[in-house]
Amino acid sequence: MKQQAVFKALADPTRRAILKRLHGGAMSAGEIGAAFDITGASLSHHFAVLKQADLVRTERRGQYIVYSLNSTVMEDLTRMVLDLIPSSGGKGSKR
Amino acid sequence: MKQQAVFKALADPTRRAILKRLHGGAMSAGEIGAAFDITGASLSHHFAVLKQADLVRTERRGQYIVYSLNSTVMEDLTRMVLDLIPSSGGKGSKR
DNA sequence: ACTTTATTTAGACATTTGTCTAAATATCTA
DNA sequence: TAGATATTTAGACAAATGTCTAAATAAAGT
């Protein structure tokens, strides 16, 4: 599974901000990057990490590359976290 | 808030395993460490990271130091993650 | 008081991470 | 085709991370 990749991806504040930025819907790399004070190259690196964790999807739209949240993996994330917490009804609740 | 510290702490698989190990209740550092193939010093480092994130509590019990989950912060964690996911009723659902 | 057991601290070291600049690739438009 | 715009890739570099060994601290049992 991609558990490790997902948690690693979430460990960086810029990447968490990118995910939040995508709540409103799909955006191009440039639009997302406008909110951050780092180079496009650094942004692209963060996108790669998010993509590897399968947290975002990409689609080329002409000149642009459009990013969107992968809600499936987002749900997996919820499960992963709940699994970390006791008494959540998950595998962890070994009573 | 400790958001960054919490996500950083969760980024390491050993630390996530430690948290899971504590589901069953409080355990001494040594008991926890028995499950891992790293030195006590490395374990201690992981404990420090978890403590800084306020994910665990410590209490000296004679010769031992006993660790337990801090369920308050665990709940905060849930909120943080849900906040990362759209349409979860949190701040993110700006509609 | 000494010894043993449990845990942390200090310091070193290799690996990973986040950032940058410069160059490459892809697409659009004149 | 040439030039402009958007994004990624390659390579470098400092800082952070996870690990180790050795030494320090704390409590318990003789």
Side-chain angles (χ1 to χ4, degrees), chain B residues 17-84:
Chain B
I18 290 173
L19 291 178
K20 282 210 190 181
R21 205 112 206 293
L22 287 174
H23 283 190
M27 302 177 71
S28 74
E31 282 178 298
I32 298 169
F36 302 97
D37 202 22
I38 58 180
T39 64
S42 297
L43 243 305
S44 195
H45 158 71
H46 286 306
F47 291 143
V49 174
L50 289 169
K51 238 163 74 177
Q52 183 193 285
D54 222 24
L55 285 162
V56 298
R57 289 282 173 76
T58 63
E59 178 201 351
R60 180 170 276 276
R61 197 118 73 189
Q63 201 173 3
Y64 305 88
I65 292 182
V66 170
Y67 285 85
S68 55
L69 289 177
N70 178 352
S71 36
T72 303
V73 177
M74 283 306 211
E75 283 169 32
D76 290 350
L77 167 61
T78 315
R79 252 172 268 119
M80 285 184 250
V81 170
L82 291 182
D83 193 40
L84 234 35

Side-chain angles (χ1 to χ4, degrees), chain A residues 52-87:
Chain A
Q52 183 192 284
D54 222 24
L55 284 163
V56 298
R57 289 279 174 77
T58 63
E59 177 202 350
R60 180 172 277 277
R61 196 121 69 193
Q63 200 173 2
Y64 305 88
I65 292 182
V66 170
Y67 284 84
S68 55
L69 289 176
N70 179 352
S71 38
T72 303
V73 176
M74 282 306 211
E75 283 169 31
D76 290 350
L77 167 61
T78 314
R79 253 172 266 119
M80 286 184 247
V81 169
L82 291 182
D83 193 39
L84 235 36
I85 297 176
S87 309

Side-chain angles (χ1 to χ4, degrees), chain A residues 33-50:
Chain A
F36 303 98
D37 201 21
I38 59 181
T39 64
S42 297
L43 243 305
S44 194
H45 158 72
H46 287 305
F47 291 143
V49 174
L50 289 170

